Amino acid sequence: MLRHLTTLRPTVVFLAYGFNESFDGSAGIPSFRQGLKRLMEQIVHLEARLVILTPPQVPAGKASLHASLKLYADVMLEAA
């Protein structure tokens, strides 16, 4: 992905991140936070504006997944 961004040199990057990572639950938060920070730094280094999209909500019947997604969305909001 970064190779494509470097080649294309976009002015705006939409970063939709965290849904797949949320399946790791709370145990995955430290590595997610670190990876998100690294990715954001690399995108900003390209001098592109960054739009961060948190993971989508899930149906109410999926309470455990909803709770995990909220953890990851909170990390993204904190990073923003």
Side-chain angles (χ1 to χ4, degrees):
M1 177 183 67
L2 288 171
R3 185 177 66 205
H4 292 298
L5 291 174
T6 301
T7 301
L8 296 172
R9 304 294 293 180
T11 58
V12 178
V13 174
F14 289 84
L15 180 61
Y17 193 58
F19 184 80
N20 291 336
E21 294 79 7
S22 72
F23 291 102
D24 291 337
S26 60
I29 291 290
S31 72
F32 175 74
R33 182 177 278 119
Q34 187 175 36
L36 177 63
K37 180 182 177 201
R38 184 174 55 248
L39 181 58
M40 289 174 64
E41 287 171 351
Q42 291 169 331
I43 292 170
V44 170
H45 179 70
L46 297 172
E47 297 180 7
R49 289 181 290 160
L50 184 57
V51 177
I52 299 172
L53 304 173
T54 60
Q57 290 194 2
V58 294
K62 305 281 185 179
S64 63
L65 179 56
H66 180 74
S68 184
L69 284 169
K70 181 170 178 357
L71 292 173
Y72 284 76
D74 287 348
V75 169
M76 294 185 77
L77 291 170
E78 176 185 301

